[in-house]
Every structure is written in structure tokens, then in C-alpha cells.
């Protein structure tokens, strides 16, 4: 899915930068990455939701904005934030020169594939096979002082915006490796993503749990109860069905879940209206598979969960444009991922697996 530094398309009124600079403390090093800016906002929104409560008659949802391509890049980062910090980030994001948008990473022409229509006939069958495959995986639960290590190959469509000039540029990242270390509580971690993050990597330490291992492992194993729990976290700002599908997408990709929970997630996903089977799909590593998929009517992108056709093990995901939106033509591959390794390690940045933990 297309990413923006703020995870949404917004238009800011011109700012009096002199007055803003007088009111705010010096921001220090302005070279914040797009991901860091995005996650500052995510953290703020989490705090707002915690303070105001979920969408309900007593807590009406904010007015819906124009159609946009939501952000779903799984980072599981949380950072402390204050109003001054966020304002400083806004100021950095709106300035020109070195304070502007981060330098673009390596890019390539987006792949284009022949669109294959999905079918609802085998949704339950594929979900059942994927669930049985998930339940058969040998599993070792991580200790709270350990880390979940996930290695993948990824490529996303990225949009960088300059709110002062109202200019934006969209490009497809070159396929590249990504390694994440996540603590079970979701509050500690590290990320290596060459070409897209600083060479030494970036910390994932913070105070926002998100869908951590601890949280996911406590979900119900009944598909219906699990889906009800996920729907309870959705809002009225966009399709609740799509939000639920995207939430499960994040849980089954760059995260770890006990086998019974993983199995329930696939069965729950199959119950979401609009889910279809795509018989031929290919992950970022070029592995052929079969997919459970759903099209976001707002963005025109079909997100596919790809499974090995023989073992039904989860391989990765693919986002394919199925209708023209924002100038993106049908058949364009806007997102590719492939999970190459998932294991438990004792230390951050370690790749040495704990015995019996590789999945």
C-alpha cells in the first residue's frame, strides 16, 4: 500500500515559520525518516483513542476525509511523544532543503501482472488447510527477555509529500531485505532495512504495545470470538471489514502467534465479507502459491495472503491494483513481501535461533 510520511493525504495551511520557531524549542537533528514521522503520529493517535474511547454514539467519529490509500506497513514501533515534539516534526516536514522529506531510497518500475479474478467457492477450504498447516508447526513460546526475529524481502509503494508546495512523488521501492527484532511485549526491538533506514538500523523501543506477541497470544481461539474482538477495534472512518482484514494481515506477517491462534486467524479472515481465493499468486521471493485476498474498495488494491500450494504454509503477501485509482493502473503490484525466516533469539540483533524456535 502506498505510504506517506503521515499515513494520510492532508493539506496544511501555510505556516508562519518565524512565529512557529519562536514558540517551539530547537528541534535538533531534523533528518527524521518517513517511518519515524509516521510512527510519531501513530503514537499520538493511540493516546487520543485511549483518552476519548472508541467510536460510539457518545464518541462520534471525526468527519471522513477524502479517499486515501491507508498505511499498513508493519513496524511495531512506539516512541514517547509530547505536543512540542509532534509540532517540531510538523515543522521539519514542511520545510525545504535538508529539513524536507527524507531522501528517497532505491526505486524500480512497479511490476505488472495479469489480473486473475477471485472466487468465493473455495475460501473455507483454503482457510481450513492453512489453519491445519499452522496448527502443525512446532512452537516454542518466547520468554519476556527474548526477541522474535523475522527476516523478509519487501517492496512497497511510497508517497512523499511536501505540504508547503502541495507536491508529492510516488515510487516503488526496490526489493530489499528487512530484519526485525521484536520483544514479546512490543516495547523493545530493532530494525535493519538497508537502503530505507540508516545503515546501522533503527531502534523499535517505545511505549506503544500494538499487536504484540503478548497481546496476540491472548486472543480467543474461536474464529467467531476472535473476529468479534478484532472488529471491536475498528472505527467508522473506513470499511470495518477492510480494517479487520488488514489487522489480521499484520498479525500473520511480521509477528509470531501460537499455532492455535494462527489457525484461528486464517479461519476468522475467511469469514470477512469480500474475501476470495486467487488461485495463482507469487510472493516477493518468487514463490508460487494460492491466496486468500480482499479488495479495498477505497483504494482499489487487492491484498493477498499467499500460501504454499502443497503445504499451505504462509509465504508472504502481495498487493495488486484491481481498479484504476490515483493514476495507478490495474495489474500494478504495489506491495510484495516474503517471510524468509521467523525464530526466537536471546538478544537484539542476534540471528542465532533458540533451539526448536524456527518456524
Amino acid at each position: 500500500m502506498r505510504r506517506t510520511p503521515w499515513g494520510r493525504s492532508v493539506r496544511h495551511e501555510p505556516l508562519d515559520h518565524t512565529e512557529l520557531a519562536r514558540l517551539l524549542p530547537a528541534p535538533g537533528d531534523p533528518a527524521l525518516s518517513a517511518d519515524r514521522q509516521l510512527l510519531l503520529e501513530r503514537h499520538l493517535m493511540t493516546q487520543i483513542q485511549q483518552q476519548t474511547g472508541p467510536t460510539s454514539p457518545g464518541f462520534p467519529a471525526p468527519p471522513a476525509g477524502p479517499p486515501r490509500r491507508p498505511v499498513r506497513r508493519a513496524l511495531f514501533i512506539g516512541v514517547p511523544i509530547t505536543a512540542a515534539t509532534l509540532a517540531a516534526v510538523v515543522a521539519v516536514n514542511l520545510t525545504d532543503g535538508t529539513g524536507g522529506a527524507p531522501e528517497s531510497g532505491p526505486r524500480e518500475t512497479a511490476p505488472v501482472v495479469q489480473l486473475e479474478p477471485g472466487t468465493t467457492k473455495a475460501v473455507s477450504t483454503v482457510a481450513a488447510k492453512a489453519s491445519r498447516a499452522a496448527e502443525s508447526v512446532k512452537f516454542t513460546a518466547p520468554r519476556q527477555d527474548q526477541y522474535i526475529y523475522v527476516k523478509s524481502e519487501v517492496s512497497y509503494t511510497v508517497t512523499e509529500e511536501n505540504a508547503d508546495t502541495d507536491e508529492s512523488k510516488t515510487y516503488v521501492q526496490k526489493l530489499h531485505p528487512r530484519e526485525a527484532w521484536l520483544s514479546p511485549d512490543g516495547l523493545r526491538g530493532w530494525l535493519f532495512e538497508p537502503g530505507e533506514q540508516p545503515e546501522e538500523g533503527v531502534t523499535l523501543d517505545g511505549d506503544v504495545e500494538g499487536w504484540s506477541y503478548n497481546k496476540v497470544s491472548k486472543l480467543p481461539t474461536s474464529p467467531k470470538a476472535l473476529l468479534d474482538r478484532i472488529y471491536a477495534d475498528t472505527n467508522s472512518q473506513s470499511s470495518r471489514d477492510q480494517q479487520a482484514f488488514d489487522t489480521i494481515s499484520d498479525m500473520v506477517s511480521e509477528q509470531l502467534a501460537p499455532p492455535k491462534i494462527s489457525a484461528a486467524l486464517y479461519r476468522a479472515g475467511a469469514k470477512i465479507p469480500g474475501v476470495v481465493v486467487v488461485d495463482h499468486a507469487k510472493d516477493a521471493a518468487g514463490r508460487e502459491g494460492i491466496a486468500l485476498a480482499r479488495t479495498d474498495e477505497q483504494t482499489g488494491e487487492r491484498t493477498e495472503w499467499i500460501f504454499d500450494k502443497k503445504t499451505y504454509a504462509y509465504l508472504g503477501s502481495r498487493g495488486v491494483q484491481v481498479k484504476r485509482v490515483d493514476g495507478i493502473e490495474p495489474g500494478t503490484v504495489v506491495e510484495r513481501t516474503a517471510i524468509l525466516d521467523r525464530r526466537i533469539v536471546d538478544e537484539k540483533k542476534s540471528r542465532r535461533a533458540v533451539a526448536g524456535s524456527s518456524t
Side-chain angles (χ1 to χ4, degrees):
M1 293 188 176
R2 198 188 309 178
R3 297 169 50 234
T4 71
W6 291 96
R8 60 184 179 187
S9 296
V10 294
R11 180 168 297 180
H12 296 277
E13 296 297 325
L15 293 178
D16 184 339
H17 293 291
T18 302
E19 179 66 10
L20 186 63
R22 184 182 69 80
L23 295 173
L24 295 174
D29 182 6
L32 293 173
S33 70
D35 284 328
R36 179 63 64 182
Q37 293 177 11
L38 167 61
L39 287 156
L40 286 171
E41 186 194 50
R42 280 183 176 171
H43 179 83
L44 179 63
M45 293 307 297
T46 298
Q47 289 187 331
I48 291 171
Q49 290 169 359
Q50 290 172 345
Q51 293 170 6
T52 61
T55 300
S56 69
F59 299 94
R68 62 183 175 83
R69 186 174 298 270
V71 173
R72 269 189 42 251
R73 188 174 188 185
L75 284 177
F76 301 95
I77 305 174
V79 291
I81 188 169
T82 64
T85 303
L86 181 61
V89 175
V90 173
V92 167
N93 193 45
L94 297 180
T95 56
D96 295 324
T98 58
E103 294 184 5
S104 304
R107 60 188 69 185
E108 64 183 12
T109 302
V112 177
V113 297
Q114 183 174 353
L115 281 177
E116 178 181 336
T119 176
T120 59
K121 292 182 179 179
V123 169
S124 296
T125 300
V126 172
K129 290 181 177 180
S131 295
R132 287 196 292 270
E135 285 183 314
S136 68
V137 172
K138 293 182 179 179
F139 178 75
T140 301
R143 298 193 315 261
Q144 293 303 299
D145 62 339
Q146 293 178 318
Y147 289 85
I148 298 155
Y149 168 75
V150 182
K151 180 180 180 180
S152 56
E153 288 280 329
V154 302
S155 171
Y156 298 95
T157 300
V158 177
T159 296
E160 295 176 354
E161 297 184 344
N162 186 317
D164 261 355
T165 64
D166 205 24
E167 295 177 345
S168 65
K169 52 184 177 181
T170 299
Y171 63 94
V172 176
Q173 294 174 327
K174 185 177 180 180
L175 191 64
H176 60 278
R178 176 180 168 95
E179 295 177 280
W181 288 261
L182 309 166
S183 64
D185 62 9
L187 303 180
R188 295 169 289 115
W190 194 262
L191 175 69
F192 278 134
E193 195 171 7
E196 299 297 329
Q197 301 289 350
E199 184 178 350
E200 68 276 10
V202 294
T203 181
L204 304 188
D205 293 357
D207 59 0
V208 178
E209 179 182 10
W211 285 106
S212 67
Y213 168 81
N214 289 355
K215 189 172 180 180
V216 171
S217 64
K218 294 176 183 177
L219 290 171
T221 56
S222 160
K224 182 181 183 305
L226 190 155
L227 193 57
D228 288 344
R229 172 66 182 82
I230 291 173
Y231 271 114
D233 273 5
T234 62
N235 57 54
S236 61
Q237 297 182 57
S238 60
S239 165
R240 295 180 68 242
D241 294 331
Q242 188 62 40
Q243 290 178 59
F245 191 82
D246 290 345
T247 295
I248 296 176
S249 296
D250 289 339
M251 291 182 189
V252 302
S253 55
E254 200 166 70
Q255 188 49 279
L256 179 70
K260 289 187 180 297
I261 301 295
S262 294
L265 285 169
Y266 296 134
R267 291 183 185 272
K271 294 179 178 294
I272 298 174
V275 172
V276 298
V277 170
V278 178
D279 287 327
H280 302 90
K282 187 181 293 186
D283 74 358
R287 299 175 296 191
E288 297 279 355
I290 188 170
L292 289 175
R294 190 180 193 283
T295 298
D296 185 334
E297 292 301 324
Q298 192 175 33
T299 66
E301 178 184 340
R302 183 173 72 191
T303 300
E304 302 169 350
W305 304 341
I306 305 173
F307 304 95
D308 184 278
K309 282 192 172 183
K310 292 183 179 180
T311 67
Y312 280 83
Y314 178 81
L315 299 178
S317 66
R318 184 174 71 170
V320 181
Q321 199 72 17
V322 298
K323 65 178 182 180
R324 192 177 191 276
V325 175
D326 295 336
I328 303 178
E329 298 295 336
T332 304
V333 178
V334 296
E335 173 186 333
R336 292 178 290 164
T337 74
I339 302 299
L340 304 180
D341 194 7
R342 198 189 320 247
R343 59 179 60 180
I344 297 168
V345 297
D346 284 328
E347 298 177 349
K348 189 187 302 183
K349 303 182 187 180
S350 170
R351 298 177 178 85
R352 185 188 299 274
V354 172
S357 72
S358 296
T359 63

